[in-house]
């Protein structure tokens, strides 16, 4: 419960950081905002949108979210929502080149009959996830307003869920908690830069 409260506090306080003064007073015109979508996330049939705001010349706050409401044939489903705020430090100027980030992750899921392994083929999992980690990425600007970035993040993930047995019409099987070190961010983002 403490982990949930901490995560919610971060989500509620993160937008306040966007009122920070832009320290790029050197006359250099850097983008202040970016709208983005994660192509890798669309590969899981998950509509998603992100917004990133410049806090200073080398810092940005990125908040991405996704929501999958689809069910597939033969009872398969990958329903979930997820929010991932991230504070990024840029090696050069914001929205250009290498960056390092620290991120949080939170959401809920309801997955059923996925073919990843024997457990996911035979069970339905319904619960929430909380976590965070560190990431590295690279941002390429290829037009005045258009860019692409690739990012990989690893960290801690706390899963709290109920497991249901699919072989017996979804009978409740158990309540489980898992804590693991895993990939927590993976993205190939298409970005539109705003001034």
């Amino acid at each position: 419960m403490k982990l949930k409260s901490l995560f919610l506090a971060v989500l509620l306080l993160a937008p306040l950081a966007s009122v920070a003064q832009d320290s790029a007073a050197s006359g250099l015109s850097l983008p202040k905002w970016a709208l983005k979508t994660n192509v890798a996330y669309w590969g899981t049939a998950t509509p998603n949108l992100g917004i990133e705001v410049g806090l200073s010349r080398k810092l940005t706050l990125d908040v991405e979210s996704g929501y999958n409401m689809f069910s597939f044939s033969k009872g398969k489903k990958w329903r979930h929502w997820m929010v991932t705020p991230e504070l990024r430090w840029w090696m050069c100027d914001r929205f250009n080149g290498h960056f390092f980030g620290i991120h949080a992750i939170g959401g809920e899921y309801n997955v059923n009959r996925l073919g990843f392994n024997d457990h996911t083929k035979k069970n339905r999992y319904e619960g929430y996830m909380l976590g965070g980690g560190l990431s590295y990425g690279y941002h390429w600007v290829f037009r005045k307003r258009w860019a692409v970035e690739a990012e990989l993040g690893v960290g801690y993930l706390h899963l709290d869920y109920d497991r249901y047995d699919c072989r017996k019409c979804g009978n409740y099987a158990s309540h489980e908690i898992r804590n693991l070190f895993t990939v927590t961010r993976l993205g190939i983002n298409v970005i539109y830069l705003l001034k």
Side-chain angles (χ1 to χ4, degrees):
M1 193 63 173
K2 289 180 185 178
L3 198 57
K4 256 187 181 179
S5 299
L6 177 64
F7 179 74
L8 289 174
V10 169
L11 282 181
L12 293 174
L13 295 175
L16 297 177
S18 67
V19 299
Q21 294 290 329
D22 188 346
S23 65
S26 63
L28 185 62
S29 179
L30 298 172
K32 291 188 174 116
W33 298 86
L35 294 175
K36 58 178 66 178
T37 190
N38 188 336
V39 176
Y41 213 17
W42 280 99
T44 66
T46 303
N48 65 92
L49 184 63
I51 187 164
E52 189 168 1
V53 61
L55 303 176
S56 71
R57 185 173 169 216
K58 289 186 175 272
L59 281 178
T60 59
L61 176 66
D62 176 60
V63 180
E64 296 180 19
S65 62
Y67 176 64
N68 186 317
M69 66 297 242
F70 304 113
S71 291
F72 304 99
S73 63
K74 299 181 183 176
K76 292 181 181 179
K77 74 171 80 165
W78 178 254
R79 291 184 177 194
H80 65 281
W81 67 265
M82 187 166 83
V83 176
T84 58
E86 179 178 48
L87 184 63
R88 291 178 171 180
W89 179 80
W90 297 79
M91 289 183 73
C92 193
D93 292 322
R94 67 178 181 234
F95 302 116
N96 185 21
H98 301 274
F99 64 87
F100 296 93
I102 182 168
H103 61 271
I105 184 171
E108 290 183 284
Y109 55 90
N110 184 352
V111 296
N112 189 35
R113 296 181 191 251
L114 297 178
F116 299 134
N117 58 41
D118 282 341
H119 295 291
T120 58
K121 285 180 187 176
K122 298 175 182 173
N123 296 288
R124 180 171 69 89
Y125 299 91
E126 185 174 339
Y128 72 89
M129 62 184 160
L130 294 172
L134 302 173
S135 58
Y136 164 77
Y138 193 86
H139 184 102
W140 296 270
V141 176
F142 62 90
R143 297 248 177 182
K144 183 178 179 182
R145 299 260 183 212
W146 290 97
V148 172
E149 74 184 16
E151 179 181 20
L152 176 65
V154 294
Y156 165 82
L157 196 58
H158 171 81
L159 303 171
D160 188 314
Y161 57 88
D162 292 326
R163 183 174 60 85
Y164 297 87
D165 188 351
C166 292
R167 293 170 294 183
K168 298 179 183 175
C169 299
N171 290 339
Y172 176 80
S174 64
H175 179 82
E176 299 175 13
I177 294 175
R178 290 192 63 199
N179 296 295
L180 51 124
F181 183 76
T182 187
V183 173
T184 50
R185 254 179 108 88
L186 181 63
I188 301 170
N189 294 311
V190 176
I191 301 163
Y192 184 73
L193 299 166
L194 303 166
K195 293 291 180 180

